[in-house]
Amino acid sequence: MASPAQQLPPGWAAEWEQTHQRYLFIETATGHTQWEPPTGPSAQMQQPPMESPPEGTAPTHHSKRRQYAAGQTQAYYGTTEEPSMLQPMSQPPQQAGMEPQLFTPGLAAPSFAMQQQGQTQPSYYEPSQGQQQPDYINSHQQPAYGQPNPNALADQFGQMGLGGQRSFSLQTANLLTSPPDPRELSLPPPEIRLPPNATVTPSQFANADSSYQRSTLNAFPNTSSLLSKSKIPLALVISPYRTVSESEPQVPLVTDTVIARCRRCRTYINPFVQFIDGGNRWRCCMCNLSNEVPQMFDWDQTRNQPGDRWSRPELSHGVVEYVAPTEYMVRPPQPAVYVFLIDVSHSAVQSGMVATATRTILENLDRIPDEDERTKIAIICFDVSLYFFSLSPGQSEPTMLVVSDVDDVFLPKPTDLLLNLAEARSGGGLENLLTRINDMFKENSIIGSALGPALQAGFKLMVPIGGKIIALSSSLPSVGVGALKNREDPKILGTAKESGLLQAASPFYKTFAIECSRAQVSVDMFLFSSAYQDVASLSCLPHYTSGQTYYYPAFNAARAEDALKFAHEFGEVLAMPIMLEVIMRVRASRGLRMSSFHGNFFVRSTDLLAMPTVATNQGYAIEIQIEETITAPFVVLQTAILHTTCYGERRIRVVTTAYPVTSNLSEVFASADQVALAVLLANKAVERTLSHKLEDARDAVFNKLVEILQTYKSSMTAAGAGASAQLAVGENMKMLPVLILGLLKNVGIRQSAQIPPDIRAYSQALLTSLPAQSLISYIYPSFYSLHNMPAEAGTVGPDGVIMPPLLPLTSERLERHGLFLIEDGQTIFLWVGRDAVPQLVMDVFNLPSYDVLRGGKTTLPVLENPFSQRVNAIVQKTREMRRGVYYPHLYVVKEDGEPPLRLWALSALVQDRADVLPSYQQFVSSLKEKVNGNGGY
């Protein structure tokens, strides 16, 4: 006799309640639960006694079905001994005349359906900073060693939705009637539904949190043909060194240097291996090889007594860090080395860059990582000559050495140019030097830049050790190696030739970057020019050496906002813990191969990524190919990063994620992660602009979206290959079209003849290096209404400052009497409507009326009234809530103010029509035409 879990009407799921020893029935669309079996479409089903558990199982252990799509159901079967394979179940009965839920094209999202009926939307989970998923609280008792966990399926992976509490069906939305809801971007990615007993411990942290590593698909196709059929690219999006706030779980550290690795594929032991032979051996989850458990694996070296195997972090955590033994070192751990190259030409001094930079270094000397007092520092100034500074230990007066021959760079002195930071400070010499540099060059009238020779000099200083070069430049390099010409030509902007301006003009910057990478030297570029600076060429250095580019167009320290932004970001870069001598490799289960790599690094061999230094919060994307049919029930991907901390300790960070394998196309669609997809497509678009044309990049992104929607329509809806009045997509990908529209409107690849090449090149540098959290905001900004925000917005709650509700990015939400905030992580706009009442202007700006308010870059006053304090708190939270060093400028934008500033702010409202770029409604309509085979965008 079939159990109730196998005889359900569409849209219902059953969960075995251990406490009450009976089934709980759940309506998947609303979350409604009830003890009574659902009636209606399956009224004819036979009901067994409710008090008995599922047939063929022990009272406390069970197999649960996972329903991805009504009519296309699959289930995991498992025993306590072995993870199971995906096995198809028979289709559930359907009422005569009723289609399964999957085959109702255009089914609107539940929230939209409620709006149409005049009901309120369901609450959305909005995580605080750094929090990616709802907090599921599970208390676990570790099983006795070698014994199966009796509640493995019900309890394990609570954080990843693997508790079996709800069946998971593919919901179809109609994009024509489902407007984008920005709150959905705060939701966690689709659940990772692993088979029972996939892990050796029931830890909720067994899979790495999605903020470290996420996949474009959370259920992997079992064949390459199934992946090709879905048209969804398979890739990992990784931020292995993201910052961790105090309220978040810290990365566990294994200090006993006992590292268990597979003898064949070199995978690190992780929660997804199996112990066999009485626990003396473990089977690799990637290649199935049987390995010996290390002799000291079960020994507590701290207490010098037998230890608890199950308490080892590597068996319960998807992200773990090891202290590496000496065999992981080619040489003793290097100290952190910082070489500052400071442009002191006329424009650099006059803009205030030199004074601001030297003051910021001086003020942050205590924050530069130097716990072991091994950190080294050097300062080289340059215009058309190079200026070195020598300082003996304990000496208070530095000596300046000038090298005028920039065609054959040499070091003027073998010692005392690269200084030990602690020793250089002991006599006050370093502080003295930093205080005096601006005065030394304040009358400098030399125009020109020997940036290339300065880079070579910095490289010569640090080549035996490695480290970080931080170059600050205010003009186009004009002297010596790496000299560049002004190639900005307004006539070719917006044409097919424009992409040439986004490629490096001189081969020096790529060849020198590869030299740096070999010598473990990375380069950060801080660029300040008010004229053309060729950001495209200069950003090559950070791109291939795992550095970062920072751009401050028309920098002028006389504007307090400019000085504050640069000083804040530069100070955070100096204080940031950096990883040195980094190599990264991603390993995957048999049948998978890493095929292409996106981000700031150099690919040293087929899959080994070399990164001389790595700062926190950089993002990478790695595409994956399926080379052979996958027969395992799940696959494992493991990112391993070997590095030296800036405190002289060699470590390995290991990030592990497991994903179920499916042969069902509906499961592939139901598991797609729209955020990871948008990050990957942004990286691929930038790469295509450099190898082809900007137009090709835009077409490729648009066509990829069309392909996905066409496949969804033909495979998942009743319309099939015919024309449809709807535009169907899975609920979990409902925001993908608007994210793609935001990407197509981003200055990095937007169709326009007005975007300066430096601005475009810098935007492309951001698109290929920001972590997912920041990148999504950069292509789909946040939009808030402040004048009528809820009373609690701007006040402090349990998780910090409470933000106002997010609005869709359309000017239809702007009101003439209102105050609005728009931000993309790089810039904040405060939009003031022309009919704003005088009291609002007084409370926020301390001015009597809208007429006397000036637009432009500004600092908000903090006034003695609650509304001012709430608005300032929201602006401050906006600057702090994302990972990274960026400190966005704040611009006041008046509704009838300067047209350029007004149009810049409005361009962030990506759902509006702008110039030749379509509105969201036009974009979706063109998608529909294209999906139906009638042309389009």
Side-chain angles (χ1 to χ4, degrees):
M1 183 183 294
S3 75
Q6 295 166 316
Q7 294 271 338
L8 287 175
W12 284 86
E15 175 184 346
W16 180 253
E17 265 291 315
Q18 189 60 44
T19 309
H20 300 90
Q21 292 287 296
R22 61 189 297 191
Y23 278 106
L24 179 67
F25 295 92
I26 304 160
E27 189 175 9
T28 55
T30 64
H32 167 73
T33 59
Q34 63 187 49
W35 293 113
E36 299 77 25
T39 57
S42 295
Q44 72 273 26
M45 71 182 182
Q46 297 172 333
Q47 296 297 334
M50 288 305 298
E51 286 68 37
S52 61
E55 185 178 339
T57 61
T60 58
H61 193 75
H62 53 279
S63 290
K64 282 208 180 95
R65 64 188 284 185
R66 298 286 186 196
Q67 186 178 336
Y68 273 75
Q72 299 193 6
T73 310
Q74 293 210 347
Y76 297 118
Y77 290 104
T79 66
T80 55
E81 289 80 33
E82 197 80 2
S84 64
M85 301 289 291
L86 277 166
Q87 299 183 17
M89 288 176 63
S90 59
Q91 293 187 350
Q94 293 162 15
Q95 189 179 20
M98 279 193 65
E99 287 286 336
Q101 187 173 4
L102 177 64
F103 293 102
T104 48
L107 176 68
S111 60
F112 187 75
M114 290 182 185
Q115 282 177 302
Q116 287 181 314
Q117 296 161 16
Q119 298 179 15
T120 57
Q121 293 190 1
S123 63
Y124 281 76
Y125 170 69
E126 297 185 355
S128 59
Q129 179 208 2
Q131 187 177 359
Q132 298 294 314
Q133 296 177 335
D135 182 23
Y136 290 83
I137 301 171
N138 288 304
S139 59
H140 293 294
Q141 295 297 322
Q142 297 284 5
Y145 176 54
Q147 297 299 312
N149 175 32
N151 296 312
L153 182 57
D155 289 342
Q156 73 184 18
F157 301 109
Q159 185 178 3
M160 289 153 286
L162 293 166
Q165 62 271 26
R166 192 166 302 173
S167 65
F168 187 42
S169 57
L170 177 62
Q171 303 281 345
T172 297
N174 179 10
L175 289 171
L176 299 177
T177 56
S178 301
D181 187 336
R183 294 173 295 182
E184 294 192 8
L185 294 175
S186 300
L187 296 173
E191 297 168 324
I192 298 175
R193 299 174 173 271
L194 290 170
N197 305 304
T199 60
V200 290
T201 60
S203 168
Q204 61 173 331
F205 303 112
N207 253 346
D209 187 87
S210 61
S211 57
Y212 291 98
Q213 181 165 284
R214 65 199 298 169
S215 170
T216 54
L217 292 173
N218 280 353
F220 274 43
N222 66 339
T223 64
S224 176
S225 60
L226 182 60
L227 177 62
S228 299
K229 186 177 180 183
S230 75
K231 302 298 182 185
I232 298 175
L234 181 57
L236 274 186
V237 171
I238 310 172
S239 295
Y241 288 111
R242 72 165 182 82
T243 46
V244 181
S245 68
E246 292 180 5
S247 62
E248 293 180 282
Q250 304 298 301
V251 175
L253 181 64
V254 180
T255 58
D256 61 8
T257 68
V258 177
I259 301 176
R261 297 182 69 182
C262 177
R263 285 177 295 123
R264 181 160 59 198
C265 69
R266 307 304 292 154
T267 294
Y268 293 82
I269 200 168
N270 59 73
F272 304 99
V273 304
Q274 284 180 301
F275 287 105
I276 54 176
D277 191 17
N280 293 317
R281 302 180 72 80
W282 61 278
R283 179 172 287 136
C284 176
C285 56
M286 301 238 190
C287 71
N288 282 325
L289 185 71
S290 170
N291 297 275
E292 285 189 14
V293 173
Q295 196 171 0
M296 300 294 286
F297 197 72
D298 297 313
W299 185 259
D300 186 335
Q301 295 185 24
T302 308
R303 297 188 177 88
N304 203 27
Q305 65 184 38
D308 175 13
R309 175 178 293 189
W310 305 117
S311 67
R312 291 192 69 94
E314 60 265 51
L315 297 182
S316 57
H317 285 73
V319 185
V320 70
E321 196 155 285
Y322 296 94
V323 175
T326 52
E327 56 261 36
Y328 286 83
M329 304 177 197
V330 177
R331 59 179 179 175
Q334 70 181 67
V337 177
Y338 297 84
V339 174
F340 296 95
L341 309 179
I342 305 176
D343 183 349
V344 291
S345 63
H346 179 74
S347 61
V349 175
Q350 292 304 308
S351 71
M353 183 275 281
V354 176
T356 310
T358 51
R359 187 178 68 247
T360 303
I361 298 171
L362 181 63
E363 291 173 352
N364 286 278
L365 287 176
D366 289 331
R367 298 178 73 202
I368 294 175
D370 190 26
E371 281 187 10
D372 55 357
E373 296 196 343
R374 299 197 312 150
T375 299
K376 296 181 181 293
I377 188 172
I379 297 173
I380 301 173
C381 295
F382 66 94
D383 43 33
V384 295
S385 302
L386 306 181
Y387 306 92
F388 295 83
F389 297 94
S390 169
L391 192 67
S392 302
Q395 183 184 348
S396 61
E397 286 296 318
T399 306
M400 184 167 79
L401 305 160
V402 183
V403 174
S404 299
D405 183 4
V406 294
D407 293 323
D408 184 16
V409 174
F410 63 93
L411 299 180
K413 196 177 178 188
T415 59
D416 299 336
L417 297 176
L418 187 62
L419 317 168
N420 177 283
L421 178 58
E423 291 175 3
R425 297 188 66 188
S426 61
L430 182 58
E431 283 90 341
N432 191 8
L433 170 61
L434 289 166
T435 306
R436 291 169 53 188
I437 283 177
N438 189 62
D439 290 335
M440 288 181 197
F441 296 100
K442 70 179 178 185
E443 304 298 332
N444 192 358
S445 59
I446 295 173
I447 296 171
S449 166
L451 176 62
L455 286 163
Q456 289 181 323
F459 179 76
K460 285 177 182 289
L461 261 185
M462 64 200 311
V463 69
I465 309 171
K468 183 184 279 286
I469 292 175
I470 299 177
L472 301 97
S473 172
S474 278
S475 55
L476 189 70
S478 58
V479 176
V481 67
L484 298 167
K485 291 185 172 61
N486 187 341
R487 53 184 177 146
E488 188 175 31
D489 183 356
K491 293 195 294 296
I492 67 172
L493 299 183
T495 71
K497 294 181 179 178
E498 183 179 4
S499 58
L501 299 178
L502 302 173
Q503 297 162 1
S506 164
F508 165 76
Y509 292 98
K510 182 162 183 188
T511 55
F512 180 69
I514 295 169
E515 276 186 63
C516 287
S517 181
R518 286 200 192 102
Q520 304 295 348
V521 173
S522 77
V523 183
D524 279 353
M525 299 293 296
F526 285 79
L527 306 175
F528 301 88
S529 179
S530 56
Y532 177 71
Q533 198 167 1
D534 204 345
V535 172
S537 295
L538 299 181
S539 62
C540 261
L541 280 171
H543 180 71
Y544 290 108
T545 64
S546 69
Q548 187 64 279
T549 302
Y550 302 90
Y551 184 42
Y552 307 88
F555 176 83
N556 183 358
R559 282 193 301 263
E561 291 80 17
D562 282 14
L564 180 62
K565 176 182 171 64
F566 166 51
H568 181 278
E569 295 179 359
F570 190 31
E572 289 299 306
V573 168
L574 295 177
M576 188 186 298
I578 56 172
M579 279 53 72
L580 310 163
E581 297 183 289
V582 182
I583 52 173
M584 181 166 87
R585 175 173 269 144
V586 180
R587 294 179 174 87
S589 294
R590 184 175 175 179
L592 300 175
R593 182 176 70 85
M594 305 303 121
S595 60
S596 56
F597 306 87
H598 308 276
N600 287 3
F601 46 70
F602 181 67
V603 183
R604 189 181 293 174
S605 62
T606 53
D607 64 346
L608 192 69
L609 308 183
M611 297 180 275
T613 74
V614 174
T616 51
N617 301 312
Q618 282 206 0
Y620 313 95
I622 300 177
E623 292 183 75
I624 304 168
Q625 279 186 355
I626 300 175
E627 293 196 309
E628 58 187 75
T629 299
I630 303 168
T631 56
F634 63 93
V635 294
V636 179
L637 289 101
Q638 187 178 80
T639 303
I641 312 102
L642 178 64
H643 66 279
T644 301
T645 68
C646 46
Y647 309 117
E649 192 169 55
R650 198 70 172 148
R651 288 189 179 181
I652 309 147
R653 177 163 290 196
V654 179
V655 184
T656 308
T657 318
Y659 299 94
V661 175
T662 181
S663 58
N664 191 321
L665 187 59
S666 68
E667 287 188 320
V668 174
F669 278 117
S671 74
D673 180 346
Q674 57 192 357
V675 167
L677 267 170
V679 173
L680 173 68
L681 292 174
N683 277 275
K684 287 175 73 70
V686 171
E687 190 174 88
R688 198 165 181 86
T689 63
L690 301 178
S691 60
H692 293 73
K693 298 195 290 285
L694 278 161
E695 186 180 358
D696 292 337
R698 290 189 291 267
D699 289 346
V701 171
F702 180 77
N703 290 334
K704 173 52 69 177
L705 180 58
V706 169
E707 284 180 355
I708 293 171
L709 294 175
Q710 280 177 332
T711 304
Y712 192 93
K713 177 175 81 78
S714 63
S715 307
M716 298 290 113
T717 73
S724 172
Q726 319 287 340
L727 185 57
V729 72
E731 278 281 336
N732 52 308
M733 289 193 287
K734 202 169 59 174
M735 291 294 288
L736 184 61
V738 80
L739 290 176
I740 297 304
L741 179 61
L743 174 60
L744 293 171
K745 291 187 173 186
N746 184 277
V747 290
I749 61 173
R750 182 164 76 210
Q751 181 182 351
S752 172
Q754 308 297 322
I755 300 171
D758 278 352
I759 299 289
R760 210 187 267 284
Y762 177 61
S763 176
Q764 292 195 349
L766 291 175
L767 288 171
T768 54
S769 62
L770 288 175
Q773 182 206 39
S774 302
L775 181 58
I776 294 303
S777 301
Y778 187 51
I779 61 175
Y780 190 83
S782 299
F783 181 27
Y784 308 99
S785 174
L786 302 185
H787 61 285
N788 57 359
M789 58 185 167
E792 68 274 10
T795 63
V796 179
D799 298 319
V801 174
I802 299 168
M803 297 297 284
L806 285 163
L807 300 176
L809 289 173
T810 169
S811 57
E812 292 173 5
R813 294 302 186 104
L814 293 174
E815 297 172 357
R816 295 181 67 168
H817 61 277
L819 179 69
F820 297 86
L821 187 146
I822 313 166
E823 63 89 22
D824 65 0
Q826 299 295 314
T827 311
I828 302 171
F829 298 107
L830 207 55
W831 178 280
V832 189
R834 68 174 72 180
D835 293 338
V837 296
Q839 189 61 49
L840 183 145
V841 179
M842 176 61 75
D843 285 351
V844 177
F845 303 103
N846 202 26
L847 293 169
S849 70
Y850 173 85
D851 296 331
V852 296
L853 177 64
R854 292 184 58 189
K857 199 183 296 180
T858 191
T859 301
L860 276 185
V862 181
L863 306 174
E864 293 297 320
N865 69 76
F867 189 68
S868 168
Q869 290 159 9
R870 289 167 63 202
V871 170
N872 272 282
I874 288 167
V875 169
Q876 186 64 22
K877 174 74 178 276
T878 297
R879 284 175 165 150
E880 295 173 353
M881 67 184 179
R882 294 194 191 90
R883 305 179 190 105
V885 304
Y886 299 104
Y887 187 85
H889 274 312
L890 174 69
Y891 290 87
V892 170
V893 184
K894 298 179 69 173
E895 184 183 345
D896 56 1
E898 299 173 13
L901 180 58
R902 185 174 167 277
L903 290 171
W904 183 21
L906 289 174
S907 71
L909 301 178
V910 298
Q911 290 171 226
D912 283 351
R913 183 172 182 176
D915 198 14
V916 296
L917 305 169
S919 69
Y920 177 72
Q921 285 302 327
Q922 291 170 322
F923 183 67
V924 169
S925 296
S926 67
L927 277 174
K928 182 191 138 194
E929 295 297 313
K930 194 87 169 176
V931 166
N932 284 332
N934 301 323
Y937 177 73

